[in-house]
Amino acid sequence: MEAHGYSRTLANDIVDALHGIETPSDDRSNIACALFAIVHEHHQAIVVLLEGQLYGSAAALLRSIFESYVRGAWVLQCASSKDISGFQKDKWKEGPFEDRLKELEAVDSVAHGGLVHLKTTAWTALNSYTHSGMRAVSRRFFGNDLIPSYAPKEIAEIERLANVFAILAALSIAELSGHTDAMDATKAMAVEFKPQYPL
């Protein structure tokens, strides 16, 4: 498959799998689904940026895609009514972001255990790319020339992380909908994902 072809196909398959399905319309579900939809929009944007070789901008979206997924999952599985009300006033629950990850892990360690690990190992890099830190700056040079310089392995990691969260968000929406075809389609995406990025 051509460069980034899998990610383009995945983005299209997610749209097809979730098109027209209905989810509960309570505040918790609406907020969670909106956050998962943001994940999918960021994922589509990353695919476009990678296709255009705009790797710095693609990397800058990784923290946003991570946070959008975590917020959606946390709202859906952990937030209290008070937390939901606060969120509607744009007041996120106080405390470190890592606390939300630990709460998710406590609810389902199999599904969310990797999020804590990702925060521990990749948070500094995600921040650097998003906030134009040294990781972003150092990749603007190839030798002495001011041109983007991302190693193929780095580009693949940007793509892999974006795809991970796109699939997780799709699985969450499908499960929330209870729509059998959507659940089957998104589970098939998760199964197909592994051969694309062998460890």
Side-chain angles (χ1 to χ4, degrees), residues 16-127:
D16 291 343
L18 301 181
H19 179 73
I21 66 172
E22 294 183 6
T23 56
S25 59
D26 58 283
D27 290 340
R28 180 186 304 275
S29 300
N30 284 341
I31 292 169
C33 284
L35 287 161
F36 295 142
I38 291 169
V39 169
H40 290 140
E41 185 171 323
H42 286 337
H43 177 252
Q44 290 173 10
I46 288 171
V47 172
V48 170
L49 291 165
L50 291 175
E51 289 171 342
Q53 299 182 2
L54 300 171
Y55 304 126
S57 295
L61 279 172
L62 287 178
R63 176 177 160 165
S64 293
I65 205 171
F66 177 44
E67 287 192 80
S68 296
Y69 173 74
V70 168
R71 285 185 175 209
W74 183 82
V75 164
L76 194 59
Q77 298 179 32
C78 302
S80 67
S81 297
K82 182 180 177 183
D83 295 328
I84 299 293
S85 181
F87 190 91
Q88 291 171 314
K89 297 169 187 163
D90 221 5
K91 294 181 180 177
W92 184 239
K93 185 171 181 175
E94 290 184 15
F97 182 66
E98 191 169 351
D99 289 351
R100 308 293 81 78
L101 297 174
K102 289 177 180 175
E103 289 173 43
L104 278 169
E105 187 177 38
V107 169
D108 188 342
S109 62
V110 174
H112 301 305
L115 297 175
V116 175
H117 177 71
L118 179 61
K119 167 67 166 60
T120 303
T121 59
W123 193 244
T124 299
L126 295 180
N127 286 332

